[in-house]
Amino acid sequence: MIDAERRVEAYLRGATRGLWGRERATVREELEAHIRTRTAAHCLAGASEAEALERALAELGHPGQVNAGMSRLYVPPLTLLSLRQALRQFRGRPLESALIVVAVALGVAVVTAVAALLDLDRQARARYDALLAAREITVQPVESDPHAFSLPSGVTVSAKRLGAVNEPPVRFSPGDLQDALVAAPSVEYAYIAEARSYFKREWVTENPDFPNPIYGLSVTPDYLRAARVEVVSGSLFAPSDFEQGGVMLISAEGAMRLGLPDDPVGATVTFDATPSQPSFTVIGVLPAPIAPPAGDWAYHLLTPFAPAPFTTLDKLTFAVASARDLPAARAELADFARAVWDERASVSVQPGREHVLQGQRAVALVIALFASAGLVVAALNIMNLMLAHVLRRHRHIGIVRSLGATGRQVRQQFLIEAIVLGSAGGIVGVLAGFGLLAAYNRYLSLELGSAAFSVSFSPLAANVGMVLAVAVTVLFGLYPAATAARVRVVDALKGV
Amino acid sequence: MNPDLLRGNLDLILLSILVDEPKYGLEIIAEAKERTGGYFEFREGSLYPALHRLERARLVDATFAPSDRGPRRRYYRLTRAGSERLAEKRREWEAFTGAVEALWAAK
């Protein structure tokens, strides 16, 4: 009794395989009714129960054939069955599948890394602009410029300068700042920022040999604009501050060092060991100390500076609004400097920022080109592997076709497998790509010592990578899938 | 019976059987066998897919109905589109056989 039930159940399951939901239930019920009625009829005719059942099932035919007939009608294009089949392939042929996944992953990893790098390039450029040092141009006497003799591009220093001692020293005055601004339209800001050091007597007792002073900058109004100085509390300098002095902006760290309360705005600080014993009232707190172009210390204080018109300056400092303007500004200032001071003044930007003057974009494009080449290679690889994949399953395809699967269904089956493999490859590739970026990140921070270049993992790059993986795999799986569909049953079953 | 001939005309045969009243699978098989004197003996496994195909094409309607004994049965009934198709196929058939017979007629 139980056996009969199981037999019927097995038959019904085979006949309705791949069907879902209502269709499955309907076909099932219909077939079951047919089987039972037939069996009963045979029993009446004198057969035993078991025999009757067998005969009924035999008359109905092989469940696979019934299924094939039904499947052709009911199976929608993308069924879970196809997906299950795809995953089964994955498990059944792990090496082959793994190869395809790796091929995809390689291409995707490269593209992801490049996409993120290009994005990084954009971000770095933006963050760059925020650094004042990246936008600064200095005009100073040739003798005092340590970089004057080391490949500045655009300023020529003649050899005789090296021995020149009889010429009057170059001196700058605040008026030159204004003149230069007029002569160089690409320059946005002109300012003076002179370093100052302050200390208190009690620090000497801490370390008599090296009493560490606290450093600050004395600046003209344009500096605040150029450096985009902001305060977290209090306010920036007012124009009157530049006339009177006696105020300062301090960083939180500096305030702590000076033993000021948590909100130091309004507190007054007096320093020692300077002739005029300057005391300052804090009017604003800076979010962070200002880092100098090179060196480990930082400027914690900003004080207003209003030089008298006859003051001599060691150098003139200018800045552009965006690093992009740097080359033009530099050229203009060079012309101006040459006009006013002959060859005695040199115009320089920060070393290491020189590369801003050469197109970074070109580098990015070259990287992208190489990445594309890598992707093309990967894609061809994928097609190759998928073809092999298909050819291996020749017999399988033949059998499936003989049972009634249409070419369309076979093709779709392979496409779904391509999607599954592509997705797997995409995930691996994106992870690998970010791994590459992390390594690049590490390299950058070691080489240039600048945290300003750290890579952020852009979700855009991840999406691009995934979409690309699936797209490429499907695209390059189309040809193999079409080949699979075209397999002739006769050829495939030869030798079965 | 030549299976090739059957294959091309299965629709015509099934629609013809369903012309009078709704019938279920086994009934259709039985009737086909009886009325043609045993000529049409369907392989039952291929009947149901064919019926379902006709249903999908809306040439027949199918509903379950309870039976006096045993499980409920699925009855197939001709729709209007189905009768139109039947008429069409009959015309086709008559034209075809007419032409073939014309070839045998004395010249």
Side-chain angles (χ1 to χ4, degrees):
Chain A
M1 217 37 45
I2 320 275
D3 276 327
E5 290 302 318
R6 223 181 290 157
R7 187 86 178 78
V8 172
E9 185 57 40
Y11 187 92
L12 289 173
R13 212 168 337 123
T16 56
R17 177 162 297 153
L19 303 177
W20 287 90
R22 182 127 57 95
E23 273 123 19
R24 187 179 200 157
T26 305
V27 173
R28 196 174 224 276
E29 190 172 350
E30 194 172 13
L31 286 177
E32 192 172 352
H34 175 112
I35 293 172
R36 295 214 189 281
T37 315
R38 260 295 192 221
T39 311
H42 285 307
C43 274
L44 276 179
S48 71
E49 287 232 24
E51 258 178 43
L53 179 59
E54 286 311 314
R55 215 183 298 171
L57 292 181
E59 281 167 350
L60 207 45
H62 192 275
Q65 286 181 309
V66 177
N67 184 241
M70 291 299 185
S71 296
R72 220 181 308 213
L73 296 178
Y74 286 121
V75 173
L78 286 161
T79 56
L80 279 164
L81 171 69
S82 293
L83 234 114
R84 264 200 338 222
Q85 171 78 336
L87 289 172
R88 212 179 300 148
Q89 282 302 321
F90 205 53
R91 269 199 324 243
R93 290 180 204 284
L95 181 61
E96 215 173 271
S97 310
L99 280 175
I100 296 179
V101 168
V102 167
V104 175
L106 275 176
V108 170
V110 171
V111 172
T112 309
V114 167
L117 267 177
L118 293 178
D119 196 47
L120 159 75
D121 183 63
R122 194 187 46 79
Q123 285 175 26
R125 202 110 34 92
R127 236 174 281 151
Y128 215 30
D129 274 4
L131 297 177
L132 179 58
R135 295 177 287 125
E136 247 178 15
I137 307 176
T138 319
V139 178
Q140 56 195 309
V142 134
E143 301 86 52
S144 57
D145 179 4
H147 308 290
F149 305 107
S150 61
L151 334 155
S153 44
V155 174
T156 52
V157 181
S158 52
K160 72 177 168 115
R161 289 284 145 241
L162 289 170
V165 294
N166 297 326
E167 296 179 343
V170 175
R171 284 281 176 257
F172 308 107
S173 67
D176 294 325
L177 286 174
Q178 296 310 313
D179 295 338
L181 270 183
V182 169
S186 303
V187 175
E188 186 76 17
Y189 311 104
Y191 50 85
I192 304 167
E194 291 193 347
R196 304 263 189 272
S197 60
Y198 311 88
F199 81 124
K200 300 181 77 89
R201 207 164 287 130
E202 58 235 38
W203 298 343
V204 185
T205 54
E206 286 168 23
N207 189 349
D209 292 327
F210 300 104
N212 287 331
I214 195 168
Y215 296 105
L217 281 177
S218 197
V219 298
T220 56
D222 240 5
Y223 176 87
L224 297 173
R225 283 193 283 276
R228 301 173 191 162
V229 175
E230 280 168 3
V231 285
V232 292
S233 68
S235 60
L236 293 172
F237 300 133
S240 55
D241 292 328
F242 287 94
E243 291 161 25
Q244 296 157 2
V247 293
M248 70 172 177
L249 299 173
I250 191 167
S251 71
E253 220 181 293
M256 212 166 47
R257 175 107 192 273
L258 292 175
L260 295 175
D262 273 341
D263 182 19
V265 177
T268 309
V269 185
T270 313
F271 293 105
D272 308 315
T274 50
S276 45
Q277 302 266 359
S279 67
F280 301 94
T281 309
V282 178
I283 64 163
V285 179
L286 302 168
I290 295 164
D296 313 303
W297 73 90
Y299 299 112
H300 289 281
L301 309 177
L302 286 179
T303 48
F305 185 41
F310 313 108
T311 316
T312 51
L313 303 171
D314 299 324
K315 60 178 188 214
L316 301 172
T317 321
F318 305 92
V320 289
S322 145
R324 236 175 305 134
D325 304 324
L326 210 55
R330 198 210 209 193
E332 289 162 3
L333 281 175
D335 290 337
F336 174 77
R338 207 171 306 131
V340 177
W341 298 289
D342 285 328
E343 307 273 353
R344 292 173 298 147
S346 88
V347 177
S348 55
V349 297
Q350 277 302 314
R353 317 297 182 190
E354 286 285 338
H355 74 279
V356 175
L357 304 177
Q358 300 141 17
Q360 264 181 304
R361 196 142 289 165
V363 177
L365 277 175
V366 169
I367 295 177
L369 258 162
F370 275 116
S372 318
L375 187 64
V376 168
V377 169
L380 291 173
N381 231 355
I382 290 164
M383 180 154 80
N384 212 2
L385 286 168
M386 295 219 65
L387 260 174
H389 194 57
V390 161
L391 290 174
R392 279 252 253 157
R393 291 168 53 189
H394 225 216
R395 251 176 48 183
H396 167 105
I397 298 170
I399 295 176
V400 167
R401 291 294 299 272
S402 76
L403 286 180
T406 60
R408 186 160 149 265
Q409 284 177 317
V410 171
R411 194 167 41 237
Q412 269 160 3
Q413 178 60 42
F414 278 99
L415 278 180
I416 289 177
E417 289 179 24
I419 292 175
V420 168
L421 288 172
S423 311
I427 293 173
V428 173
V430 165
L431 289 175
F434 283 146
L436 277 175
L437 286 176
Y440 181 66
N441 203 358
R442 186 89 60 83
Y443 165 74
L444 271 185
S445 61
L446 286 177
E447 278 287 314
L448 301 183
S450 170
F453 288 99
S454 66
V455 182
S456 54
F457 299 137
S458 77
L460 173 72
N463 290 339
V464 166
M466 273 304 297
V467 168
L468 201 69
V470 176
V472 165
T473 317
V474 167
L475 189 71
F476 284 85
L478 274 178
Y479 173 65
T483 313
R486 265 184 271 127
V487 165
R488 289 207 345 222
V489 176
V490 171
D491 300 328
L493 292 179
K494 241 184 274 195
V496 169
Chain B
M1 183 197 62
N2 190 344
D4 287 323
L5 288 178
L6 175 63
R7 199 174 302 136
N9 293 301
L10 190 54
D11 283 3
L12 172 59
I13 296 166
L14 288 177
L15 290 173
S16 304
I17 296 178
L18 287 174
V19 120
D20 303 316
E21 49 171 7
K23 302 189 174 77
Y24 61 94
L26 279 171
E27 261 191 313
I28 297 173
I29 295 169
E31 188 154 329
K33 192 162 154 198
E34 265 174 46
R35 281 168 66 178
T36 61
Y39 189 73
F40 284 136
E41 272 205 73
F42 288 128
R43 225 202 352 214
E44 299 168 9
S46 45
L47 176 77
Y48 288 107
L51 286 171
H52 281 243
R53 182 164 41 82
L54 290 175
E55 185 191 353
R56 272 219 138 179
R58 291 186 219 265
L59 298 174
V60 300
D61 260 336
T63 40
F64 278 105
S67 69
D68 31 342
R69 57 189 165 148
R72 9 179 245 169
R73 303 195 179 116
R74 204 150 187 256
Y75 283 83
Y76 294 84
R77 149 190 97 76
L78 213 55
T79 60
R80 182 138 82 184
S83 359
E84 278 166 20
R85 177 66 69 87
L86 174 57
E88 198 184 303
K89 285 215 171 266
R90 278 186 68 164
R91 280 197 296 273
E92 259 176 39
W93 173 269
E94 275 154 16
F96 184 79
T97 47
V100 172
E101 281 167 11
L103 290 174
W104 300 329
K107 275 202 242 174

